[in-house]
Amino acid sequence: MMTGAEYIESLRRLKTEVYFMGQRVESVVDHPAIRPHVNTAAVTYDLAHDPEYADLASAVSHLTGRRINRWTHIPQNQEDLVKKVKMLRVAGQITGTCFQRCVGMDALITLYSVTHDVDKKYGTDYHERFKRFLIETQDRDLMSGGAMTDPKGDRSKRPHEQHDPDLFVRVVERRSDGIVVRGAKMHQTGAVNSHQFIVLPGQSLGPEDKDYAVAFAVPADAPGVIQVFGRQVNDSRKWEGKIDQGNPTYGVVGGEALVIFDDVFVPYERVFLLGEWEFASTIVERFTAYHRQNYGGCKSGNLDVLIGATLALAEMQGTAKASHVRDKLAEMAHMVETMYGGALACSYECTKLACGTAFVNPLLANTAKLNTARYYPEVTRLAQDIAGGFVATMPSERELDNPRVGQFIRKYYQTRADVPAEDRIRLGRLVENMTGATPIIECMHGAGSPQAQKVVVQRLFDWVKRRRLAERIAGVGTEEGR
Ligand SMILES: Cc1cc2nc3c(=O)[nH]c(=O)nc-3n(C[C@H](O)[C@H](O)[C@H](O)COP(=O)(O)OP(=O)(O)OC[C@H]3O[C@@H](n4cnc5c(N)ncnc54)[C@H](O)[C@@H]3O)c2cc1C
């Protein structure tokens, strides 16, 4: 298993093609806009070596018996799924933001079981190929970007109906030794600091969409893989100073990129689905269940930090004992524990897939994510309420050193005599960082928009059973009832 420092050094050896603000990025590790995201992903490596958390953040590979980082592990039982959630909460608490490595983890978990099922139906050898890839990923402790979301063009049309056939990733050539793929994946978390991408179809497909039914893995620096790093709210603060960033070490959300596959060659050894279109929906259902499980873990960890910042500000500002503030803090805690409870519940209620992998309860996993999409913004609203308006109006950190106004900033931003104004400003900036647009949009759309979860809830909830329960108690349809 790599340490965080070794992971960071390993990124220097990649020859990725990354663009940001109109320019090619020479080193993702040293770029101020990207470095915080690198630091955050590095936490997933360090945790596996930390005596306090190694039991959560590492596991024993069921394939090799060797100790591996849990972010590359295939859950074998209930305990593995529960540890996954607990590990995510801890990492969320340490970083206060998205640590990026779960999309790739869930892509690994999903393909492990789906390749098994495809082989069973078609006699293909995807599963053995995938196992070899998995062992390499585990032994080299690679970070994988999980690439599922296509640009999708006109949402009312299927892939083959789009005006541009490249709006979904597709196979454009089949050669004797591999395939050539074209298209793009959007919003790719941690992409620029991943070693490789695992590409999956992002929606169910029909027979006309056969060329879009493709799953594969490529190194992040394979020829033709081009990445464009996205902008975030207030990102220029990353090269202006430390305090105004709010979370200068770890940044905001995952650092997403548009990943373009400009006719990329993929050898068959790394192809895990090719034309079996009916398995696209299985991939999406399994991946989203595992990924939605996560949101109740990582986001509750992030919100633990936000609750802490809010409490600290209330204490500094003399409002912590007010009953309405205590009530709001309790409400925040209740929502966070509800999110976490859902993630744990879907793990405890797991079943086994045909290949032996433990599978979360999808109804509860989708409920956990839907709660996160609802509760994260609600918790941020309460944090902003308690923190006060200064979060939106503070001057720049540079004013603290301004010979003319610095003394006034320290004087007028001070609340209690024993608390320096700078401490309040730092916490205010952290609240601003965590309650701004990007993290809220991530909780909304990351792992799928809320409607996608509702569709699963509608489908899996046993409506007839509920109606019968009520009818029996009310005596509807019985002799007595009539
Ligand atoms: C911060 C962040 C990180 C992310 N990280 C990753 C990642 O690492 N890997 C990855 O693969 N993806 C990632 N995603 C993508 C995420 O899964 C998508 O944003 C999500 O699935 C929604 O897709 P979309 O953004 O294209 O929005 P859309 O699909 O356009 O949805 C917008 C709205 O339109 C509705 N809608 C969509 N289609 C239809 C339709 N046919 N009919 C009616 N209504 C419709 C939706 O319900 C929603 O309300 C990330 C997203 C964010 C915001």
Side-chain angles (χ1 to χ4, degrees):
M1 295 185 293
M2 280 196 269
T3 62
E6 285 165 346
Y7 156 70
I8 291 173
E9 276 318 295
S10 73
L11 293 178
R12 290 189 192 282
R13 293 192 284 278
L14 293 178
K15 309 244 172 309
T16 46
E17 186 178 353
V18 178
Y19 295 88
F20 180 59
M21 304 277 287
Q23 298 199 323
R24 177 131 185 206
V25 174
E26 290 309 323
S27 160
V28 295
V29 171
D30 301 312
H31 197 292
I34 300 173
R35 181 58 192 242
H37 305 289
V38 173
N39 292 340
T40 320
V43 169
T44 69
Y45 287 88
D46 280 334
L47 273 183
H49 297 272
D50 185 326
E52 202 179 337
Y53 301 117
D55 181 49
L56 290 183
S58 71
V60 173
S61 168
H62 73 291
L63 294 177
T64 64
R66 292 191 275 277
R67 186 148 287 275
I68 53 167
N69 188 299
R70 189 175 293 281
W71 267 276
T72 66
H73 182 54
I74 307 299
Q76 297 301 300
N77 47 41
Q78 187 188 67
E79 190 188 349
D80 275 341
L81 289 171
V82 170
K83 282 185 175 172
K84 182 182 184 229
V85 173
K86 292 189 173 180
M87 164 181 84
L88 299 179
R89 187 161 187 176
V90 167
Q93 290 170 340
I94 292 172
T95 61
T97 187
C98 165
F99 32 87
Q100 310 148 38
R101 214 174 162 191
C102 329
V103 207
M105 166 175 63
D106 294 329
L108 289 173
I109 298 172
T110 301
L111 277 181
Y112 185 83
S113 68
V114 178
T115 52
H116 175 274
D117 296 355
V118 180
D119 286 359
K120 205 163 167 216
K121 179 161 181 193
Y122 289 110
T124 40
D125 68 342
Y126 294 127
H127 194 56
E128 284 310 311
R129 279 184 206 174
F130 186 77
K131 279 205 250 181
R132 287 192 287 274
F133 167 70
L134 178 64
I135 290 172
E136 190 184 330
T137 299
Q138 292 180 337
D139 284 349
R140 293 177 59 204
D141 204 358
L142 298 177
M143 170 153 160
S144 311
M148 188 168 239
T149 310
D150 299 275
K152 296 187 287 195
D154 180 339
R155 272 60 175 159
S156 68
K157 294 189 165 135
R158 306 195 67 78
H160 72 279
E161 296 169 337
Q162 299 288 337
H163 75 277
D164 180 341
D166 300 339
L167 288 170
F168 288 75
V169 168
R170 66 186 179 122
V171 181
V172 290
E173 196 185 333
R174 290 169 195 239
R175 295 185 188 161
S176 57
D177 51 349
I179 57 173
V180 177
V181 293
R182 187 187 301 159
K185 293 286 184 180
M186 307 200 76
H187 327 292
Q188 296 306 295
T189 296
V192 300
N193 47 298
S194 289
H195 301 105
Q196 60 187 8
F197 295 117
I198 302 171
V199 180
L200 311 168
Q203 65 179 51
S204 60
L205 299 170
E208 311 89 339
D209 295 320
K210 226 169 174 234
D211 288 339
Y212 298 91
V214 60
F216 58 91
V218 278
D221 56 358
V225 176
I226 306 164
Q227 302 188 56
V228 188
F229 191 64
R231 292 214 74 172
Q232 296 179 323
V233 174
N234 298 330
D235 56 6
S236 58
R237 293 184 188 180
K238 287 180 187 160
W239 49 93
E240 289 170 358
K242 291 268 181 208
I243 297 175
D244 289 353
Q245 291 186 49
N247 186 349
T249 306
Y250 303 116
V252 193
V253 190
E256 278 67 32
L258 170 69
V259 180
I260 299 156
F261 300 95
D262 186 24
D263 288 0
V264 174
F265 175 73
V266 186
Y268 282 121
E269 190 59 19
R270 290 288 185 261
V271 177
F272 310 122
L273 187 83
L274 185 60
E276 297 85 357
W277 55 268
E278 69 276 33
F279 282 94
S281 56
T282 317
I283 287 178
V284 174
E285 279 163 23
R286 284 199 195 147
F287 173 85
T288 54
Y290 286 116
H291 206 46
R292 290 169 190 169
Q293 169 204 27
N294 298 352
Y295 270 68
C298 60
K299 300 307 172 213
S300 58
N302 290 166
L303 290 178
D304 286 333
V305 176
L306 183 63
I307 290 175
T310 311
L311 173 65
L313 279 172
E315 285 171 351
M316 280 179 186
Q317 295 171 172
T319 58
K321 293 201 174 113
S323 63
H324 79 96
V325 170
R326 282 166 42 199
D327 182 67
K328 282 169 185 156
L329 283 164
E331 216 176 313
M332 292 163 83
H334 153 252
M335 286 187 270
V336 168
E337 297 305 340
T338 303
M339 287 158 49
Y340 183 57
L344 286 179
C346 71
S347 310
Y348 281 113
E349 292 287 305
C350 64
T351 48
K352 281 248 176 188
L353 296 169
C355 62
T357 305
F359 184 49
V360 290
N361 177 303
L363 175 60
L364 293 172
N366 277 272
T367 305
K369 166 67 211 319
L370 198 52
N371 279 339
T372 305
R374 286 220 179 128
Y375 289 163
Y376 192 100
E378 190 59 14
V379 174
T380 65
R381 182 181 72 75
L382 293 168
Q384 289 174 345
D385 178 349
I386 294 170
F390 88 110
V391 169
T393 62
M394 272 178 284
S396 148
E397 66 183 88
R398 291 189 189 170
E399 254 52 89
L400 289 166
D401 300 323
N402 180 325
R404 178 78 175 127
V405 300
Q407 57 176 317
F408 295 119
I409 304 295
R410 290 179 200 282
K411 176 180 165 78
Y412 292 116
Y413 277 87
Q414 188 165 30
T415 47
R416 269 180 15 207
D418 59 335
V419 179
E422 189 181 311
D423 287 359
R424 181 172 174 236
I425 289 172
R426 282 176 181 272
L427 284 164
R429 286 293 181 207
L430 178 58
V431 170
E432 183 195 27
N433 165 300
M434 299 188 74
T435 64
T438 316
I440 293 179
I441 295 170
E442 197 227 334
C443 286
M444 175 76 73
H445 289 292
S449 314
Q451 195 56 29
Q453 288 106 67
K454 238 184 230 173
V455 167
V456 179
V457 170
Q458 270 166 352
R459 188 157 46 80
L460 297 182
F461 195 77
D462 190 340
W463 300 97
V464 174
K465 177 180 169 186
R466 269 57 177 206
R467 199 187 63 218
R468 288 203 181 120
L469 290 174
E471 286 171 348
R472 189 184 66 79
I473 290 173
V476 174
T478 61
E479 232 8 82
E480 197 186 335
R482 268 193 285 280

